[in-house]
Amino acid sequence: MRRTSTNPILAGIAALLLLQGCGGGGGGSDLSGTNVLPAANAGAAQTVTSGATVTLNGSASDSDGYITAYAWTQTAGPAVTLGNPAVAQTSFVAPLETVATTFTFALVATDNRGGLSPAATVTITVSPSTSAVVVTGTVRFARAPFVDAYPYGLNYAAPVMQPARGLLIRALNGTSLAEISTATTSGTGTYSLNVPANTNIVIQVVARLQQGNTVSSPSWNVDVQNGAAGLPYSYSSAAFNTSTAVQNIDIPLGIESTGVASATYARASGPFAILDTLYTVIQSVLTVNPTVKLPALYVDWGSQTAGTFFSPTTSPHLALTADLTEDTDEFDTHVIAHEFGHYIEYSFSRSDNIGGDHGLGDKLDPRVSWGEGWATAFGAIALNDPVYRDSFVDNGVSEGFVFSTEHNPVTSGTPDYDGTGCWCNEASVYSMLWDLYDGTNDGGDTISLGFAPIWAALTGAEATTPAFTTIFSFIDSLKQQRPGDAAAINALLATQNIDGANLDAFGSNETHSPLPNTLPLYTSITRGGGAVTLHTTDDAGRDNKLGDHRFLRFDSAAAGTITVTATTSNTNDGDPDFIVQNREQYVPVENPPNSQHSDSVSGLAVTTATTYVIDAYDCANGCTSAEGTPGDYDLTVTIN
């Protein structure tokens, strides 16, 4: 499972710091004093007929500035599509209704100082159409199944039809393709649309999982599209007359048995297979958080070649591969669920995972072993399936990489494919999380918690831990949630060479390490207390492996400012860097490659009784791109 994941958070923060350092004149606005919030007006209530174009007559004013943005959201009624929700006056087509139906919309305005108005609402009542009929049907998509024998790849010759669940369905005019009405497919793929009688229409299935809106709970909106600016994929039926009351739609695989795209409907089912996996995963999340509001997300599947990863920057998205000659992800349910697990951790907890290349059995930076192990375990839990499968192509043959989250790395002796148990091993993390979840007890696993306590730990103390997020911070949070299960949790930890007794978020009492000079996990440092020397090594690999980065803990006793300095014993091309963090507040200090042997930041504000953690590294070992000669070096850090 060698996947490249990225953590663009730090890059974004670094850019922010650069912006903060920029001078320059402003526009002359006086931003001092108290801002009077703007006032929004959503317009008068309206009663319209089915099929009519409705204009929402919004406006806003600001007594001490001007309006810079508008945002419309629908808060009640069957979902409709607004023409442009970011302008004062927008419109939509009133769907055909068989009974009088109320739609409610909210308008929020933003002023030039970032102030948000209270939401103004308007109610639109759509009168029933006297000529409406109902068209129903079932939507299915083709999925390529895995072969349960070597080489464990995808079987394009025997696609399986499955219901397309939770998708946006649109009835379009058969000639103009104007939208007539919309609906969402059910949990069995069925739909029902109100449409005008004796009219030629097209049914369009949109690659969008849709539930609720930004105000209601639960809610989500997930598109599969090609690139950040793309529209969601779609599949349309042939035109038909609405005198036909039932219209079933089967979305073809669009891939020949040989593994090449079909000439017609090429790869048509791919986007819908991705969304169906996410539908299953979201249903699992609902069991532990029935009112969950998922932040906006899209899936980039098509022409992108950067790899498979989750990116939280700008517009959060999952990137999935779509290369039939090398690696394509649309039918890899666990791969999709794994990346969604990163999104869940980022959205509802906290992720300090630095990303990078990783594989089973690697000795990883503990932030990486936790983040990747969590994502794999989340996928298995959400799919209720411990068998992870990842398809790829080798010399034109579809093959599969397969392992089970039920398989635990060995405590000692000859390791299997997933290495030896360690807090630095992602396989240790995912296997322990699966053991905490599942109902099968074996070996040192004598505990069966289900998903709810794991979710509570993830979103509880783990989200606000002063330490970096690792297996230690998660188990600390879990024990706070489940103190009565501490003994069983400790026994499970012991199978993976982790000391559970007196465990804290910093792993302070951990004694097991597969490499010398990598414990303690955090070394304490004080202001004016002298230099602290740490050893960095590339023995396990570079960039994100164990030993590349070393951690310090600074407990601020008093408020003020500090100067942090790091130097390296690498005298040839050394480039020491560090990150100071208080929960999610980052101060990265990175100089150009090989620029000097010391880095320093002055004037860093700290507060009383606050814990800060520092990630220190030499770029020869700890940077994504090779900068210098990897090796064993000493890092010396001071705080003054």
Side-chain angles (χ1 to χ4, degrees), residues 27-42:
S29 298
D30 181 8
L31 300 183
S32 62
T34 301
N35 182 30
V36 178
L37 296 179
N41 186 332

Side-chain angles (χ1 to χ4, degrees), residues 290-489:
T291 59
V292 68
K293 294 175 66 67
L294 296 177
L297 179 73
Y298 73 90
V299 180
D300 185 0
W301 177 83
S303 58
Q304 73 87 16
T305 58
T308 301
F309 56 90
F310 162 68
S311 172
T313 58
T314 311
S315 297
H317 67 278
L318 311 184
L320 301 178
T321 58
D323 187 349
L324 283 173
T325 66
E326 290 189 7
D327 188 12
T328 186
D329 289 331
E330 66 264 39
F331 303 119
D332 296 348
T333 57
H334 277 266
V335 172
I336 298 166
H338 174 103
E339 299 306 332
F340 195 79
H342 288 309
Y343 158 80
I344 286 291
E345 184 187 23
Y346 174 80
S347 300
F348 295 96
S349 184
R350 201 180 88 223
S351 174
D352 297 328
N353 185 356
I354 61 174
D357 188 56
H358 59 96
L360 295 185
D362 284 353
K363 300 176 181 68
L364 298 168
D365 181 299
R367 296 167 297 182
V368 180
S369 62
W370 161 252
E372 300 304 329
W374 153 258
T376 296
F378 170 83
I381 291 168
L383 297 171
N384 196 31
D385 178 6
V387 180
Y388 184 107
R389 298 172 182 264
D390 181 6
S391 67
F392 60 93
V393 177
D394 184 20
N395 291 323
V397 177
S398 179
E399 299 185 6
F401 174 60
V402 184
F403 66 88
S404 175
T405 57
E406 186 70 77
H407 188 275
N408 304 97
V410 297
T411 305
S412 61
T414 303
D416 206 337
Y417 64 87
D418 48 7
T420 301
C422 177
W423 41 267
C424 60
N425 186 344
E426 66 179 289
S428 292
V429 172
Y430 69 60
S431 66
M432 287 189 296
L433 290 174
W434 177 261
D435 282 338
L436 289 169
Y437 161 77
D438 76 345
T440 302
N441 295 336
D442 48 48
D445 172 20
T446 62
I447 188 169
S448 300
L449 297 180
F451 191 14
I454 294 173
W455 179 268
L458 181 80
T459 58
E462 169 78 346
T464 57
T465 179
F468 290 119
T469 53
T470 67
I471 186 62
F472 297 105
S473 59
F474 174 81
I475 294 296
D476 181 59
S477 179
L478 181 65
K479 285 186 174 182
Q480 292 181 42
Q481 297 282 340
R482 308 283 296 194
D485 293 315
I489 294 171

Side-chain angles (χ1 to χ4, degrees), residues 572-615:
N572 293 320
D573 48 14
D575 180 17
D577 296 321
F578 59 87
I579 295 168
V580 181
Q581 175 179 326
N582 170 24
R583 294 186 170 89
E584 283 195 307
Q585 299 175 17
Y586 299 88
V587 181
V589 178
E590 296 183 349
N591 282 318
N594 309 327
S595 64
Q596 60 185 52
H597 305 299
S598 176
D599 267 341
S600 182
V601 61
S602 302
L604 177 62
V606 296
T607 56
T608 305
T610 302
T611 296
Y612 296 83
V613 288
I614 300 173
D615 168 16

Side-chain angles (χ1 to χ4, degrees), residues 137-143 159-164 167 169 185 188-191 203 205 234-238 247-254 264-265 267-270 272:
T138 299
V139 181
R140 303 189 303 171
F141 71 94
R143 177 183 292 280
V160 177
M161 300 304 298
Q162 296 183 333
L167 298 177
I169 302 293
T185 57
T188 58
T190 61
Y191 72 91
I203 303 296
V205 186
S234 63
Y235 180 86
S236 296
S237 71
Q247 184 72 14
N248 296 322
I249 300 173
D250 281 351
I251 303 173
L253 189 67
T264 57
Y265 304 114
R267 312 191 65 180
S269 72
F272 305 100

